[in-house]
Short mmCIF file of all heavy atoms in Angstrom, two decimals:
data_model
loop_
_atom_site.label_atom_id
_atom_site.label_comp_id
_atom_site.label_asym_id
_atom_site.label_seq_id
_atom_site.Cartn_x
_atom_site.Cartn_y
_atom_site.Cartn_z
N TYR A 125 63.66 204.47 170.64
CA TYR A 125 63.91 203.73 169.40
C TYR A 125 62.96 202.54 169.24
O TYR A 125 62.32 202.37 168.21
CB TYR A 125 65.36 203.26 169.36
CG TYR A 125 65.66 202.27 168.26
CD1 TYR A 125 65.73 202.67 166.93
CD2 TYR A 125 65.86 200.91 168.55
CE1 TYR A 125 66.00 201.77 165.92
CE2 TYR A 125 66.12 200.00 167.54
CZ TYR A 125 66.19 200.43 166.23
OH TYR A 125 66.44 199.52 165.23
N TYR A 126 62.86 201.72 170.27
CA TYR A 126 62.09 200.49 170.14
C TYR A 126 60.62 200.77 169.89
O TYR A 126 59.98 200.17 169.01
CB TYR A 126 62.26 199.63 171.40
CG TYR A 126 63.69 199.19 171.62
CD1 TYR A 126 64.54 199.89 172.47
CD2 TYR A 126 64.19 198.08 170.96
CE1 TYR A 126 65.85 199.51 172.65
CE2 TYR A 126 65.51 197.67 171.13
CZ TYR A 126 66.33 198.39 171.98
OH TYR A 126 67.63 198.01 172.15
N ALA A 127 60.04 201.69 170.66
CA ALA A 127 58.63 202.02 170.48
C ALA A 127 58.40 202.69 169.12
O ALA A 127 57.36 202.46 168.48
CB ALA A 127 58.15 202.92 171.60
N SER A 128 59.35 203.50 168.67
CA SER A 128 59.20 204.17 167.37
C SER A 128 59.20 203.15 166.24
O SER A 128 58.41 203.26 165.28
CB SER A 128 60.32 205.20 167.17
OG SER A 128 60.12 206.34 167.97
N VAL A 129 60.11 202.17 166.30
CA VAL A 129 60.14 201.13 165.28
C VAL A 129 58.86 200.31 165.31
O VAL A 129 58.29 199.96 164.27
CB VAL A 129 61.39 200.23 165.47
CG1 VAL A 129 61.30 198.99 164.59
CG2 VAL A 129 62.66 201.01 165.14
N PHE A 130 58.41 199.98 166.52
CA PHE A 130 57.16 199.23 166.69
C PHE A 130 56.01 200.00 166.02
O PHE A 130 55.23 199.44 165.25
CB PHE A 130 56.89 199.06 168.19
CG PHE A 130 55.88 198.00 168.53
CD1 PHE A 130 56.28 196.72 168.87
CD2 PHE A 130 54.53 198.29 168.51
CE1 PHE A 130 55.35 195.75 169.19
CE2 PHE A 130 53.59 197.32 168.83
CZ PHE A 130 54.00 196.04 169.17
N TYR A 131 55.92 201.29 166.31
CA TYR A 131 54.89 202.14 165.71
C TYR A 131 55.02 202.18 164.18
O TYR A 131 54.03 202.08 163.45
CB TYR A 131 54.98 203.55 166.28
CG TYR A 131 54.18 204.58 165.51
CD1 TYR A 131 52.82 204.76 165.75
CD2 TYR A 131 54.79 205.35 164.53
CE1 TYR A 131 52.09 205.69 165.03
CE2 TYR A 131 54.07 206.29 163.80
CZ TYR A 131 52.72 206.45 164.05
OH TYR A 131 52.00 207.36 163.32
N ALA A 132 56.26 202.34 163.69
CA ALA A 132 56.48 202.47 162.24
C ALA A 132 56.04 201.23 161.49
O ALA A 132 55.57 201.33 160.35
CB ALA A 132 57.95 202.77 161.96
N TYR A 133 56.18 200.06 162.10
CA TYR A 133 55.71 198.84 161.45
C TYR A 133 54.21 198.92 161.19
O TYR A 133 53.73 198.60 160.09
CB TYR A 133 56.01 197.62 162.32
CG TYR A 133 57.28 196.89 161.92
CD1 TYR A 133 58.40 196.90 162.73
CD2 TYR A 133 57.34 196.18 160.72
CE1 TYR A 133 59.56 196.23 162.36
CE2 TYR A 133 58.50 195.51 160.35
CZ TYR A 133 59.60 195.54 161.17
OH TYR A 133 60.74 194.88 160.79
N PHE A 134 53.44 199.35 162.18
CA PHE A 134 52.00 199.46 162.02
C PHE A 134 51.64 200.58 161.03
O PHE A 134 50.78 200.42 160.16
CB PHE A 134 51.34 199.73 163.37
CG PHE A 134 51.28 198.54 164.28
CD1 PHE A 134 52.38 198.17 165.05
CD2 PHE A 134 50.14 197.77 164.38
CE1 PHE A 134 52.33 197.07 165.89
CE2 PHE A 134 50.07 196.67 165.22
CZ PHE A 134 51.18 196.31 165.98
N ALA A 135 52.31 201.73 161.16
CA ALA A 135 52.02 202.87 160.29
C ALA A 135 52.38 202.58 158.83
O ALA A 135 51.70 203.06 157.91
CB ALA A 135 52.77 204.11 160.78
N SER A 136 53.43 201.79 158.61
CA SER A 136 53.84 201.49 157.24
C SER A 136 52.82 200.63 156.51
O SER A 136 52.87 200.50 155.28
CB SER A 136 55.20 200.78 157.25
OG SER A 136 55.10 199.49 157.84
N LEU A 137 51.89 200.03 157.26
CA LEU A 137 50.79 199.28 156.66
C LEU A 137 49.57 200.17 156.41
O LEU A 137 48.55 199.71 155.91
CB LEU A 137 50.39 198.11 157.57
CG LEU A 137 51.39 196.97 157.68
CD1 LEU A 137 50.98 196.00 158.78
CD2 LEU A 137 51.55 196.24 156.36
N GLY A 138 49.68 201.43 156.81
CA GLY A 138 48.57 202.37 156.61
C GLY A 138 47.42 202.14 157.57
O GLY A 138 46.29 202.54 157.30
N LEU A 139 47.69 201.51 158.71
CA LEU A 139 46.62 201.19 159.66
C LEU A 139 46.16 202.45 160.40
O LEU A 139 46.89 203.44 160.49
CB LEU A 139 47.12 200.14 160.66
CG LEU A 139 47.53 198.79 160.04
CD1 LEU A 139 48.02 197.84 161.12
CD2 LEU A 139 46.36 198.17 159.27
N ASP A 140 44.95 202.37 160.94
CA ASP A 140 44.31 203.51 161.60
C ASP A 140 44.84 203.64 163.04
O ASP A 140 44.29 203.06 163.97
CB ASP A 140 42.80 203.32 161.60
CG ASP A 140 42.05 204.50 162.21
OD1 ASP A 140 42.70 205.51 162.54
OD2 ASP A 140 40.81 204.40 162.36
N LEU A 141 45.91 204.39 163.18
CA LEU A 141 46.54 204.58 164.49
C LEU A 141 46.21 205.95 165.05
O LEU A 141 46.11 206.93 164.32
CB LEU A 141 48.07 204.46 164.37
CG LEU A 141 48.63 203.13 163.89
CD1 LEU A 141 50.15 203.23 163.76
CD2 LEU A 141 48.26 202.00 164.82
N THR A 142 46.07 206.01 166.37
CA THR A 142 45.93 207.29 167.06
C THR A 142 47.02 207.35 168.12
O THR A 142 46.85 206.88 169.24
CB THR A 142 44.55 207.44 167.74
OG1 THR A 142 43.53 207.24 166.76
CG2 THR A 142 44.41 208.82 168.35
N PRO A 143 48.18 207.87 167.75
CA PRO A 143 49.25 207.98 168.75
C PRO A 143 49.03 209.19 169.63
O PRO A 143 48.58 210.25 169.18
CB PRO A 143 50.50 208.16 167.88
CG PRO A 143 50.00 208.81 166.64
CD PRO A 143 48.59 208.31 166.43
N GLU A 144 49.33 209.05 170.90
CA GLU A 144 49.24 210.16 171.83
C GLU A 144 50.66 210.59 172.18
O GLU A 144 51.62 210.16 171.57
CB GLU A 144 48.48 209.72 173.09
CG GLU A 144 47.09 209.17 172.83
CD GLU A 144 46.07 210.24 172.49
OE1 GLU A 144 46.39 211.43 172.70
OE2 GLU A 144 44.98 209.90 172.01
N GLU A 145 50.76 211.42 173.20
CA GLU A 145 52.09 211.79 173.68
C GLU A 145 52.72 210.60 174.38
O GLU A 145 52.03 209.66 174.80
CB GLU A 145 51.99 212.98 174.63
CG GLU A 145 51.54 214.25 173.95
CD GLU A 145 51.49 215.44 174.88
OE1 GLU A 145 51.67 215.22 176.10
OE2 GLU A 145 51.28 216.55 174.42
N SER A 146 54.05 210.63 174.53
CA SER A 146 54.75 209.51 175.14
C SER A 146 54.30 209.31 176.58
O SER A 146 53.72 210.18 177.21
CB SER A 146 56.26 209.76 175.10
OG SER A 146 56.58 210.99 175.68
N SER A 147 54.57 208.14 177.13
CA SER A 147 54.02 207.74 178.42
C SER A 147 54.42 208.65 179.57
O SER A 147 53.69 208.75 180.55
CB SER A 147 54.42 206.30 178.74
OG SER A 147 55.82 206.16 178.74
N ASN A 148 55.54 209.31 179.48
CA ASN A 148 55.94 210.17 180.60
C ASN A 148 55.07 211.43 180.68
O ASN A 148 55.18 212.20 181.62
CB ASN A 148 57.42 210.55 180.50
CG ASN A 148 57.73 211.37 179.27
OD1 ASN A 148 56.94 211.39 178.34
ND2 ASN A 148 58.87 212.02 179.25
N HIS A 149 54.16 211.62 179.68
CA HIS A 149 53.18 212.69 179.76
C HIS A 149 51.84 212.17 180.28
O HIS A 149 50.86 212.91 180.33
CB HIS A 149 52.97 213.33 178.37
CG HIS A 149 54.15 214.12 177.90
ND1 HIS A 149 55.10 213.60 177.08
CD2 HIS A 149 54.52 215.39 178.16
CE1 HIS A 149 56.03 214.52 176.83
NE2 HIS A 149 55.69 215.62 177.48
N GLY A 150 51.83 210.88 180.61
CA GLY A 150 50.64 210.32 181.21
C GLY A 150 49.54 209.98 180.23
O GLY A 150 48.37 209.94 180.61
N ARG A 151 49.85 209.72 178.98
CA ARG A 151 48.84 209.38 178.00
C ARG A 151 49.17 208.04 177.35
O ARG A 151 50.32 207.63 177.30
CB ARG A 151 48.73 210.46 176.91
CG ARG A 151 48.25 211.79 177.45
CD ARG A 151 48.01 212.76 176.31
NE ARG A 151 47.58 214.07 176.80
CZ ARG A 151 47.31 215.10 176.00
NH1 ARG A 151 47.41 214.97 174.70
NH2 ARG A 151 46.93 216.25 176.52
N LEU A 152 48.12 207.42 176.83
CA LEU A 152 48.30 206.16 176.13
C LEU A 152 49.24 206.36 174.94
O LEU A 152 49.14 207.34 174.21
CB LEU A 152 46.94 205.66 175.63
CG LEU A 152 46.93 204.37 174.82
CD1 LEU A 152 47.23 203.19 175.73
CD2 LEU A 152 45.57 204.20 174.14
N ASP A 153 50.12 205.41 174.74
CA ASP A 153 51.10 205.56 173.66
C ASP A 153 50.49 205.38 172.28
O ASP A 153 50.80 206.12 171.35
CB ASP A 153 52.24 204.56 173.84
CG ASP A 153 53.23 205.01 174.91
OD1 ASP A 153 53.33 206.22 175.13
OD2 ASP A 153 53.88 204.16 175.51
N MET A 154 49.58 204.40 172.12
CA MET A 154 49.07 204.14 170.78
C MET A 154 47.75 203.38 170.82
O MET A 154 47.62 202.40 171.56
CB MET A 154 50.10 203.33 169.98
CG MET A 154 49.76 203.15 168.51
SD MET A 154 51.12 202.35 167.60
CE MET A 154 50.75 200.62 167.92
N ALA A 155 46.78 203.86 170.05
CA ALA A 155 45.52 203.16 169.88
C ALA A 155 45.39 202.77 168.41
O ALA A 155 45.69 203.56 167.51
CB ALA A 155 44.34 204.04 170.29
N LEU A 156 44.95 201.52 168.18
CA LEU A 156 44.78 201.01 166.83
C LEU A 156 43.34 200.55 166.65
O LEU A 156 42.81 199.79 167.47
CB LEU A 156 45.73 199.82 166.59
CG LEU A 156 45.44 198.94 165.37
CD1 LEU A 156 45.66 199.72 164.08
CD2 LEU A 156 46.32 197.69 165.40
N ARG A 157 42.71 201.04 165.59
CA ARG A 157 41.38 200.55 165.21
C ARG A 157 41.56 199.68 163.97
O ARG A 157 42.02 200.16 162.93
CB ARG A 157 40.44 201.72 164.92
CG ARG A 157 40.05 202.52 166.15
CD ARG A 157 39.21 203.74 165.79
NE ARG A 157 38.73 204.44 166.96
CZ ARG A 157 39.44 205.33 167.65
NH1 ARG A 157 40.69 205.62 167.28
NH2 ARG A 157 38.94 205.94 168.71
#
């Protein structure tokens, strides 16, 4: 929930996000340019 809300705040601004798989898959959670 917390990470999803955090992500939604950035996405709701239309920012250039590159979300990966969640951390338990061993990948970065979110990249923002």
Side-chain angles (χ1 to χ4, degrees):
Y125 169 74
Y126 297 96
S128 286
V129 169
F130 197 96
Y131 166 84
Y133 263 111
F134 285 82
S136 67
L137 291 170
L139 299 179
D140 183 6
L141 299 177
T142 305
E144 303 286 347
E145 293 182 352
S146 54
S147 58
N148 64 342
H149 290 96
R151 295 187 182 180
L152 178 71
D153 282 333
M154 187 173 85
L156 165 66
R157 291 175 175 83

